[in-house]
Amino acid sequence: MAALTALTKSLGYHCAKRSKISTFSQNFPSHNSRFQTLRTLILEPSLSESVKLNRLSDYDSGIVEVNLDRPEAKNAIGKDMLSGLRHAFEAVDRDSSARVVMISSSVPKVFCAGADLKERKRMTAAEVHSFVNYLRSTFSLIEELQIPTIAVIEGAALGGGLEMALSCDLRICGFRLKSEGGSSLAPIFNSAGGTQRLPRLVGKSIAKDIIFTGRRICGRDAVSM
């Protein structure tokens, strides 16, 4: 995990340098704040206890971290967490000092277990439709951010968790990574555009294999793809 963290920070730093050059060329204001700790909670609070918005301050380079912290549900995305994610990415989008955003997890061996199916069972059909639309638009917001986005995947990335990672520009994974498309979960996996984004990244043949079989993929296999 330490190696993954170091590699991610290095990648984020280099992305931030490139992003900063591009941003300065557009005459955005410079960022002069100084941070005292490695991770400083951004002053604008999250709407959810399970999503924390931090600024990595060791390089003072505008690297922002969206941290998933819902251990009791393995970071499953329910209404509260989705609202927190949306609020966090909207805050990043408004922050001209942000150069790179990383999505990470504080829950051991888990990135995101996907949608909260227990919560979904209690929703009406109309509520499910609204939730899916909100989930899709939130992941599209990640995709449309004007700065590099990095998914830091250490552990399981299932269903909507994989879709969120697919929405990022880059994915950096530990070898313990497990992800899935899931034929039995195909409607859920497709709720936020996963079946469209996956073939663009790995090609149609591999994407069909993953989606049709529902097999789980380790980090080594993901790299080879």
Side-chain angles (χ1 to χ4, degrees):
M1 183 63 185
L4 179 67
T5 300
L7 181 58
T8 301
K9 286 170 61 180
S10 176
L11 177 61
Y13 173 60
H14 287 291
C15 285
K17 285 181 65 178
R18 298 297 304 171
S19 178
K20 186 177 292 187
I21 292 170
S22 174
T23 304
F24 281 168
S25 68
Q26 298 176 43
N27 296 318
F28 280 139
S30 62
H31 178 54
N32 297 315
S33 300
R34 291 293 181 266
F35 303 96
Q36 301 303 314
T37 59
L38 177 62
R39 285 180 171 84
T40 303
L41 188 67
I42 290 178
L43 293 179
E44 184 171 0
S46 171
L47 293 180
S48 170
E49 290 292 327
S50 56
V51 179
K52 295 179 174 60
L53 194 55
N54 304 308
R55 191 184 301 278
L56 272 65
S57 58
D58 50 347
Y59 293 117
D60 189 21
S61 58
I63 302 175
V64 176
E65 177 189 51
V66 175
N67 184 259
L68 313 180
D69 187 19
R70 195 187 176 200
E72 73 281 1
K74 298 183 179 179
N75 288 339
I77 304 173
K79 290 181 179 179
D80 177 73
M81 189 171 194
L82 181 55
S83 294
L85 285 169
R86 182 59 174 251
H87 182 78
F89 288 112
E90 286 177 344
V92 170
D93 194 31
R94 292 192 299 268
D95 185 357
S96 62
S97 69
R99 310 298 179 197
V100 174
V101 60
M102 302 190 308
I103 306 175
S104 65
S105 168
S106 63
V107 181
K109 300 182 181 180
V110 173
F111 176 70
C112 176
D116 189 332
L117 301 184
K118 291 182 180 179
E119 184 177 299
R120 182 171 290 198
K121 287 180 180 179
R122 300 191 295 269
M123 296 181 189
T124 65
E127 287 174 332
V128 171
H129 181 73
S130 177
F131 178 85
V132 168
N133 284 341
Y134 199 49
L135 184 70
R136 184 183 299 118
S137 65
T138 298
F139 289 176
S140 293
L141 174 61
I142 298 173
E143 193 171 44
E144 293 164 3
L145 286 173
Q146 297 301 301
I147 58 175
T149 53
I150 305 172
V152 184
I153 308 170
E154 178 72 1
L158 309 178
L162 178 58
E163 288 186 301
M164 179 160 54
L166 294 175
S167 301
C168 294
D169 297 313
L170 303 172
R171 285 146 296 280
I172 183 167
C173 309
F175 284 141
R176 290 182 297 177
L177 162 72
K178 290 183 179 179
S179 63
E180 68 176 359
S183 56
S184 62
L185 297 178
I188 298 170
F189 176 67
N190 189 40
S191 62
T195 54
Q196 286 74 52
R197 292 189 178 98
L198 185 62
R200 295 171 192 163
L201 291 170
V202 302
K204 287 184 179 180
S205 180
I206 294 175
K208 287 179 179 180
D209 175 25
I210 294 170
I211 295 167
F212 293 167
T213 65
R215 66 187 178 92
R216 297 192 175 191
I217 303 159
C218 70
R220 293 182 187 275
D221 289 340
V223 170
S224 69
M225 293 175 182

